[in-house]
Amino acid sequence: MLNNVKTVLKENYDNRYRLIRLANYELKAQNNGTMFGFLWNFFNPILQILVYWFVFAIGLKSAAPQGKYPYIIWMIVGIMPWFYMSTALTTTGNSIYAYSGVLKRMYIPLSIVPIKSVLSALIAHFWSMLVVIGIIFASGYSISLYYFQTLYFTFASFILLCAYALFASAVVVVFRDFQKIMLSVIRLLFYITPIVWVQDNLPAELKFILKLNPFAYLIDGYRDSILYERNLMFHWKQGVFFWAFTIIFFIIGCNIHMKFRKQFIDLI
Amino acid sequence: MDKNLAIKCSGLYKKYPLYSSDVERLKGLFLPFYKPQQFTALENINLEFKKGEIVGLIGLNGSGKSTLASIITGITYATEGTVEVDGDVNMLAANAGMDLQLTGVENIDYKCLLLGMSKKETAEIRNEIIDFADIGIYINQPMRTYSSGMRSRLGFAISVHMNPDILIIDEALAVGDNSFTDKCMVKMSEFKENGKTILFVSHSVAQMNDFCDRVIWLNKGKIVGEEVPSKIIMPYCGFAREFNSMTHEERAACNPVLTKYQEKYL
């Protein structure tokens, strides 16, 4: 069981340069043929922020939770990490299946294929977080050392998404309907995670359930680091649960991946 | 494995399950005792390839040549048996990993990237590849504008510059005009001189005759025989001709024996 985890980790470590460059390439390919090319990495988040700012701050006049920040800043600090997570969740499911043309004719270590999709979303995330920090700074707020704590939450989300990527990409090869199901689940996840709404007014029981949602832990973590200057011990119980869940999920993901990998090429 | 060997296959079987529906496919994967109908693509293959040897693989369509080639490359896995390989393997697949939206030069970079080469290594061979492909100003045009010949030339040019220890060529030389094929054969001879092991899958018996040290004849997933080219190619061609005039029942029942066809056609 742990041997499978070792194989996956080793394969990714041995091919780390190929992995990083493939992820970069995948990101670049999305902007291929556009005139602004690389700049789209910044335009995309800015346009998204404008849309949400218009809908929530102007249209719905949503109020911010406690703290010194207006709603729009509170929201983008949560929604930008979510965009990265949802991109990774939606693209990784199909990652092996979509690569069939290459995989059928060339030897590529299979476990790097789902991981490179997560990594590609992560690279885009770095650019969009730069935009977020730029906006906060431009609005006249100071930048604190707590910002570096987001790196921990980025790392945590990366591991969780890799676990999902290994799991989902393998399942989709044998059961294609899984991807369709997950697209709906991801949409649902957006609403059951406190990304655009404030959780303070929830009854205690519901709040407890919310604490079991690993994505809520991550999004809260980003906000704690950037807006509230809380260190990560503030949610340590949630943190322990998050890591227990993520590590078990990662082990399952690696095992499912290894169990099916010998059949991938014959099935895609 | 013996030190002089590059590849060793022992007791290799490849069976493809034939599922009639998606539900069956799921059953086959999860129910341990569910046995679907199977197609045996390779049956008890035992082969050894020495280092620096050029081996040809012939057989009719569907005889398992490509399956064997992709098992050795590591693309697909054998159902039973083992394959031991000493060194890097690269399958020369002209059209794999090409993106039609990218230009020729970008495709060179992309394919090198897929194969795990560093930026520096790619830069070193980029010009050689462009020279070898010899497709003129089209190298900077998107690949969707290429003719099929140009695509294959570029694909082939990239593949031969990868420099693996073991090279597998699966019908990749059938493309391009005669001048390009000649160029490829010169490159292959260069590989041979450098002591690389080459597995050559082709329907071109003439190329095989010139080029291979040994030829293996596969039929319906089984090895009919292995011999020097002069003793196996004519018998095989004779069999292929006879096969055309057989009825369906005869084709299904036929089991060629090498010595019989050697007597008849040598």
Side-chain angles (χ1 to χ4, degrees), chain A residues 15-62:
Chain A
N15 290 283
R16 57 196 180 279
Y17 296 116
R18 170 148 51 165
L19 184 65
I20 293 167
R21 292 182 57 214
L22 270 176
N24 251 320
Y25 174 81
E26 189 169 286
L27 189 65
K28 250 202 251 160
Q30 292 163 8
N31 299 327
N32 257 346
T34 58
M35 212 162 66
F36 292 113
F38 176 77
L39 288 176
W40 274 111
N41 288 327
F42 298 109
F43 292 164
N44 263 336
I46 290 172
L47 290 174
Q48 278 166 328
I49 288 170
L50 277 178
V51 169
Y52 281 87
W53 172 71
F54 185 78
V55 172
F56 288 100
I58 299 201
L60 296 173
K61 294 205 167 59
S62 308

Side-chain angles (χ1 to χ4, degrees), chain A residues 18 21 25 174 263 266, chain B residues 14 25 29 96 102 114 117:
Chain A
R18 170 148 51 165
R21 292 182 57 214
Y25 174 81
V174 294
Q263 300 166 23
D266 303 335
Chain B
K14 179 74 186 177
R25 199 179 62 219
L29 285 167
L102 300 179
L114 280 174
M117 296 173 70

Side-chain angles (χ1 to χ4, degrees), chain B residues 29-68:
Chain B
L29 285 167
F30 292 106
L31 302 180
F33 300 108
Y34 182 83
K35 287 272 170 287
Q37 203 191 345
Q38 280 186 327
F39 173 76
T40 307
L42 290 176
E43 200 174 331
N44 198 17
I45 303 288
N46 295 293
L47 286 172
E48 286 181 352
F49 300 80
K50 288 193 204 71
K51 280 186 181 150
E53 199 181 21
I54 317 261
V55 183
L57 211 52
I58 47 173
L60 302 173
N61 285 338
S63 54
K65 306 184 296 294
S66 297
T67 306
L68 182 58

Side-chain angles (χ1 to χ4, degrees), chain B residues 157-169:
Chain B
I158 299 174
S159 295
V160 290
H161 285 87
M162 291 302 147
N163 213 18
D165 304 321
I166 301 166
L167 185 67
I168 296 178
I169 307 170

Side-chain angles (χ1 to χ4, degrees), chain B residues 8-14 41-47 63 68 81-82 216 218 221-223:
Chain B
K8 184 180 181 185
C9 307
S10 17
L12 215 60
Y13 280 79
K14 179 74 186 177
L42 290 176
E43 200 174 331
N44 198 17
I45 303 288
N46 295 293
L47 286 172
S63 54
L68 182 58
T82 54
I216 297 163
L218 281 178
K222 280 180 256 182
I223 298 172

Side-chain angles (χ1 to χ4, degrees), chain B:
Chain B
M1 191 165 68
D2 197 329
K3 254 194 164 172
N4 300 322
L5 291 182
I7 308 167
K8 184 180 181 185
C9 307
S10 17
L12 215 60
Y13 280 79
K14 179 74 186 177
K15 292 173 186 164
Y16 288 106
L18 300 174
Y19 300 114
S20 54
S21 68
D22 283 0
V23 178
E24 289 231 328
R25 199 179 62 219
L26 281 182
K27 278 191 195 165
L29 285 167
F30 292 106
L31 302 180
F33 300 108
Y34 182 83
K35 287 272 170 287
Q37 203 191 345
Q38 280 186 327
F39 173 76
T40 307
L42 290 176
E43 200 174 331
N44 198 17
I45 303 288
N46 295 293
L47 286 172
E48 286 181 352
F49 300 80
K50 288 193 204 71
K51 280 186 181 150
E53 199 181 21
I54 317 261
V55 183
L57 211 52
I58 47 173
L60 302 173
N61 285 338
S63 54
K65 306 184 296 294
S66 297
T67 306
L68 182 58
S70 41
I71 290 177
I72 291 171
T73 320
I75 292 174
T76 181
Y77 295 81
T79 318
E80 273 174 54
T82 54
V83 184
E84 291 167 84
V85 177
D86 184 9
D88 288 340
V89 193
N90 187 6
M91 186 190 265
L92 202 161
N95 291 320
M98 303 294 244
D99 188 334
L100 294 185
Q101 298 304 324
L102 300 179
T103 67
V105 177
E106 286 168 340
N107 260 306
I108 295 175
D109 293 352
Y110 179 47
K111 198 157 175 176
C112 291
L113 161 62
L114 280 174
L115 289 161
M117 296 173 70
S118 71
K119 275 193 178 154
K120 198 170 147 246
E121 286 170 314
T122 309
E124 275 166 13
I125 59 167
R126 194 183 291 125
N127 286 331
E128 274 177 58
I129 295 175
I130 294 171
D131 279 348
F132 193 89
D134 194 17
I135 54 173
I137 50 168
Y138 266 92
I139 198 75
N140 286 315
Q141 294 298 311
M143 221 173 144
R144 62 188 148 83
T145 61
Y146 286 24
S147 71
S148 58
M150 284 155 83
R151 276 178 207 172
S152 313
R153 286 172 76 115
L154 181 62
F156 191 86
I158 299 174
S159 295
V160 290
H161 285 87
M162 291 302 147
N163 213 18
D165 304 321
I166 301 166
L167 185 67
I168 296 178
I169 307 170
D170 190 356
E171 323 231 3
L173 290 183
V175 295
D177 51 27
N178 286 342
S179 83
F180 188 70
T181 312
D182 286 347
K183 209 158 136 185
C184 295
M185 294 316 277
V186 170
K187 191 81 192 172
M188 293 297 113
S189 313
E190 220 174 273
F191 279 144
K192 192 174 176 173
E193 279 159 28
N194 292 336
K196 296 193 189 297
T197 313
I198 303 180
L199 177 59
F200 189 47
V201 180
S202 176
H203 287 293
S204 161
V205 286
Q207 281 173 3
M208 211 162 262
N209 211 357
D210 296 345
F211 190 59
C212 295
D213 301 321
R214 183 157 64 103
V215 173
I216 297 163
W217 173 6
L218 281 178
N219 192 58
K220 289 185 199 159
K222 280 180 256 182
I223 298 172
V224 178
E226 35 185 318
E227 264 292 359
V228 290
S230 58
K231 285 188 179 164
I232 196 165
I233 285 178
M234 286 312 284
Y236 164 73
C237 292
F239 164 76
R241 272 196 302 277
E242 278 181 27
F243 191 81
N244 272 336
S245 52
M246 288 182 198
T247 62
H248 276 298
E249 290 76 30
E250 283 173 332
R251 284 183 186 183
C254 83
N255 243 335
V257 179
L258 182 59
T259 48
K260 200 181 99 195
Y261 283 94
Q262 274 175 337
E263 276 168 28
K264 213 164 160 186
Y265 290 100
L266 280 182

